[in-house]
Amino acid sequence: FYSLTFQVDVDGRVRVFHGLNRVEKQFPWYPPTLLDKQHLDNLQSWGFNVVRLGMMWSGVETGPYEVNNTYLSIMDGIIDSLGKRGIYVILDMHQDVLSSKFNSYDGAPLWLVNSLPKTKHAYPWPLKKKPSNWEENYIAYAVGEAFENIYNNASGALDHLIFFWRTVAKRYGQKYNVLGYELINEPWPGNTYADPLLFLPGNAGSEHLLPLYDKLASAIDQVDNQTMIFYEPVTWGMILTGKTLGSGFTHVPGGDKMRERAVFSYHYYCWFAGSYDKNPFPAWLRALCDHLFFPHVIESVAKDTSATGGGMFLTEFGLCNANAPKNSTEYQECLSVLSTTDMAGLSWTYWDSEFYLSNGSVNTENVKLFSRPYPMALEGQLLLSQFDSASKVYTLNYLPKQNSTTYIYVPAIHYPNGFNVTIPSDCKSSNDGAGFVKIYCASISKPLASVLIAPKK
């Protein structure tokens, strides 16, 4: 793969990815569900072709430069099992608040955090007690200082993060379905008490994150010069643009030679909605989230990647429950994200699936929401991909190449009685019976190809 606004493969086909996150935040550090054959088969049948898979630093490096090969072997099996089903993986070094020392989990190994220089103010200062909400732990001085120490390689902490990524890249770089390496999830800007200007996302990006990413990308490139590099700003660094209010990234990790391998990873949660789960979804809040905030985030990320090169990928959004009333905030928020990304042909991995009920049975309503028709591989220029979840009508408009083949995933769950396919006269279609419609266009009398998929009555 190489990356532009869309992910484009070596054959020049636009690739669109729909998938989910699977991160195990405690020992044994791998998601047990991905060892279950039926679960994997379900992911494939629902049209998911990517998993953002937690590759946990604590699982890999159990002591200074000590590698847990048992963990890596289990991850080998998970990645291979997904690959057999045509599912790619983004290996994600996931963390939230860095450590169990800070009322979280060990995104960084506990032995490493314990080795850092003694903090000026013990956790949870300036808080009087541990907060109940995990995000509030970022207020603690010790958390920001720990991040600062990693960025500055105090106690050799950055050397260990480089070792982690070299170990992972050397082992998994040859697997065809490893789409990319996500260098760190939702990084904190550093010690904001020592330097409050780090709260400006551009400062955090330019002073700490980009130098970190350059080092990590260079180390990965020494053992794997093919796999894509996914990188994030601070969580508020994808809302605006500019030197101080934007991401702060003036180039992709590793510099210009890595432009075709770099992917800007961005997250979207409508902070204005929060836990405001109302029925019906208030019109003012819908307008703020769906018509202003989310499109603005996409535009900001697109401007960043246009300036630096590389692609963009929505690696987190949610949390949703399609069993909520269809006009509730919770349901409509996710429907809007899915519809907007469909229209733009953007790739995504949803954060929290809820695809199973507490009794282990499939949550059919949630599957119906997230399992959608879309062009997994398209030869040509994508113009419009739109699915109407009410009528079940799917529309694809694109400019096909001559002698081109496009694969559209069509989920059976929306078409219990089958479906009809309308295509341009220059093209032919076939249904492989496994959820894919193949559109082959030999010659092109009209530049625009429009494909319509509708349920049989």
Side-chain angles (χ1 to χ4, degrees):
F1 284 86
Y2 67 95
S3 56
L4 300 168
T5 300
F6 303 112
Q7 272 63 47
V8 182
D9 65 23
V10 293
D11 297 317
R13 297 179 301 178
V14 172
R15 301 295 294 267
V16 179
F17 296 93
H18 288 184
L20 66 162
N21 284 256
R22 280 286 183 264
V23 178
E24 183 62 36
K25 298 181 178 180
Q26 59 187 356
F27 182 84
W29 306 111
Y30 59 84
T33 54
L34 296 185
L35 299 177
D36 180 74
K37 180 181 181 297
Q38 185 58 59
H39 183 85
L40 296 174
D41 290 343
N42 286 344
L43 295 182
Q44 180 186 23
S45 69
W46 297 336
F48 295 135
N49 59 349
V50 64
V51 170
R52 183 173 179 244
L53 175 63
M55 178 61 69
M56 306 302 285
W57 190 359
S58 292
V60 173
E61 193 181 7
T62 50
Y65 302 110
E66 294 177 3
V67 175
N68 183 349
N69 284 302
T70 299
Y71 173 71
L72 293 178
S73 294
I74 293 171
M75 296 296 278
D76 267 324
I78 289 173
I79 293 168
D80 290 344
S81 295
L82 289 165
K84 289 175 183 177
R85 293 164 174 82
I87 301 174
Y88 291 81
V89 294
I90 301 165
L91 300 181
D92 164 36
M93 196 245 101
H94 208 86
Q95 71 78 37
D96 297 288
V97 203
L98 201 63
S99 174
S100 59
K101 286 190 71 171
F102 309 134
N103 197 28
S104 184
Y105 61 91
D106 293 315
L110 183 59
W111 61 261
L112 181 135
V113 176
N114 284 334
S115 75
L116 296 175
K118 186 177 180 181
T119 182
K120 182 178 178 180
H121 298 287
Y123 173 84
W125 188 92
L127 302 171
K128 296 188 181 299
K129 62 179 182 178
K130 295 179 181 180
S132 56
N133 294 324
W134 68 267
E135 302 100 322
E136 295 175 15
N137 288 288
Y138 278 118
I139 298 172
Y141 181 96
V143 174
E145 190 178 47
F147 275 92
E148 188 88 16
N149 283 327
I150 292 176
Y151 298 149
N152 293 332
N153 201 25
S155 303
L158 178 52
D159 292 337
H160 287 288
L161 183 54
I162 289 171
F163 173 78
F164 162 79
W165 272 121
R166 282 179 62 90
T167 301
V168 170
K170 187 174 182 179
R171 182 162 186 136
Y172 300 109
Q174 302 306 312
K175 292 185 182 291
Y176 90 91
N177 67 315
V178 175
L179 186 66
Y181 307 122
E182 182 138 5
L183 300 178
I184 182 171
N185 174 71
E186 297 188 353
W188 188 246
N191 191 339
T192 54
Y193 288 93
D195 182 3
L197 292 179
L198 287 173
F199 275 121
L200 294 171
N203 288 357
S206 62
E207 293 182 27
H208 284 327
L209 298 185
L210 192 53
L212 170 74
Y213 294 159
D214 281 340
K215 293 182 178 72
L216 295 178
S218 177
I220 289 171
D221 191 53
Q222 292 172 18
V223 295
D224 176 8
N225 60 7
Q226 299 293 325
T227 307
M228 293 196 287
I229 305 293
F230 285 64
Y231 64 103
E232 297 184 37
V234 294
T235 55
W236 58 98
M238 55 193 78
I239 300 172
L240 299 173
T241 57
K243 184 176 180 180
T244 56
L245 299 180
S247 68
F249 300 147
T250 54
H251 59 266
V252 301
D256 282 349
K257 72 172 186 175
M258 307 284 279
R259 284 167 63 95
E260 293 185 345
R261 294 172 55 196
V263 183
F264 191 118
S265 169
Y266 63 107
H267 298 173
Y268 170 72
Y269 297 93
C270 188
W271 301 336
F272 310 108
S275 58
Y276 192 88
D277 186 16
K278 297 296 181 182
N279 181 20
F281 191 7
W284 66 269
L285 185 56
R286 183 195 297 265
L288 189 60
C289 290
D290 302 342
H291 303 304
L292 180 62
F293 188 42
F294 185 43
H296 184 70
V297 168
I298 293 175
E299 182 180 1
S300 295
V301 175
K303 284 181 178 179
D304 257 39
T305 54
S306 176
T308 61
M312 53 191 286
F313 200 120
L314 177 61
T315 52
E316 276 194 35
F317 71 100
L319 304 159
C320 307
N321 182 2
N323 288 324
K326 296 298 186 289
N327 60 347
S328 69
T329 302
E330 187 176 51
Y331 183 91
Q332 288 296 326
E333 251 301 276
C334 265
L335 181 60
S336 175
V337 172
L338 292 169
S339 299
T340 301
T341 53
D342 279 352
M343 292 279 285
L346 297 175
S347 296
W348 50 259
T349 46
Y350 175 55
W351 172 245
D352 192 18
S353 68
E354 303 239 356
F355 292 134
Y356 293 89
L357 301 173
S358 57
N359 63 5
S361 61
V362 172
N363 184 342
T364 305
E365 290 304 308
N366 242 21
V367 173
K368 285 181 178 179
L369 177 61
F370 288 93
S371 182
R372 309 164 69 79
Y374 69 103
M376 278 193 182
L378 180 145
E379 283 194 87
Q381 182 181 349
L382 177 61
L383 300 177
L384 173 70
S385 175
Q386 185 176 32
F387 177 60
D388 187 313
S389 58
S391 67
K392 312 301 182 185
V393 173
Y394 173 70
T395 305
L396 173 67
N397 292 338
Y398 69 110
L399 305 178
K401 297 178 181 178
Q402 194 163 343
N403 294 317
S404 64
T405 302
T406 289
Y407 293 87
I408 305 170
Y409 168 72
V410 183
I413 195 168
H414 291 300
Y415 304 99
N417 299 319
F419 53 84
N420 295 313
V421 182
T422 304
I423 59 173
S425 57
D426 293 336
C427 305
K428 296 179 180 180
S429 71
S430 61
N431 183 350
D432 69 356
F436 287 95
V437 169
K438 182 170 70 174
I439 309 294
Y440 174 72
C441 299
S443 59
I444 308 167
S445 59
K446 297 180 180 179
L448 175 65
S450 184
V451 178
L452 191 73
I453 296 174
K456 289 182 178 179
K457 301 300 183 181

